[in-house]
Amino acid sequence: MNKKDLAEIKKLLIEKKAELLNKTNNAQRDINSDDINVGDEIDTARQNSDKEMFFELVAGDKITLNAVNDALAKIEKNTYGTCECCGEEIPAERLKAIPWTRYCIKCQEEAENPKR
């Protein structure tokens, strides 16, 4: 991967990191502001359901945020773009589509669909 492509991917990763941090912080603020229980049991159940959904969304974003941070660290170490499983180079098209990916398509498919 050339330096120009790597610089573009780094910029995308930094933007995604900022987006995820902002989204996570806003979701956390929303969860904390909903702590006032007003209403009957149905309202309370609805609020609890909404909180649980927020927690799931925040957890998914935190996983992606960790992957983005890992990708940025790999760029700094000059190991970005290498599959963590097989050590082969990840195709540039895949990195441009999902800049925080850790695996090549073959290894990703094997991890998601293990042979029995």
Side-chain angles (χ1 to χ4, degrees), residues 26-60:
N26 287 341
Q28 193 66 42
R29 233 177 279 126
D30 289 344
I31 291 168
N32 293 337
S33 69
D34 286 343
D35 283 342
I36 302 169
N37 289 327
V38 178
D40 59 11
E41 291 176 14
I42 294 173
D43 290 335
T44 303
R46 170 69 185 232
Q47 290 171 355
N48 290 339
S49 174
D50 289 347
K51 282 183 187 180
E52 191 165 324
M53 188 170 52
F54 272 131
F55 281 127
E56 288 177 20
L57 291 173
V58 169

Side-chain angles (χ1 to χ4, degrees), residues 13 16-17 19-21 23-24 57-71 98-102:
L13 287 167
K16 186 67 173 177
K17 179 179 178 176
E19 173 191 327
L20 288 168
L21 285 171
K23 186 177 177 185
T24 302
L57 291 173
V58 169
D61 287 341
K62 285 182 180 177
I63 290 168
T64 304
L65 180 60
N66 287 339
V68 168
N69 284 330
D70 289 345
I98 311 169
W100 54 88
T101 192
R102 298 167 47 191

Side-chain angles (χ1 to χ4, degrees), residues 20 37-38 42 45 49-50 71 73 76 94-96 103-104 115:
L20 288 168
N37 289 327
V38 178
I42 294 173
S49 174
D50 289 347
E76 296 303 317
R94 179 166 172 78
L95 293 171
K96 288 179 183 176
Y103 306 104
C104 65
K115 296 177 182 172

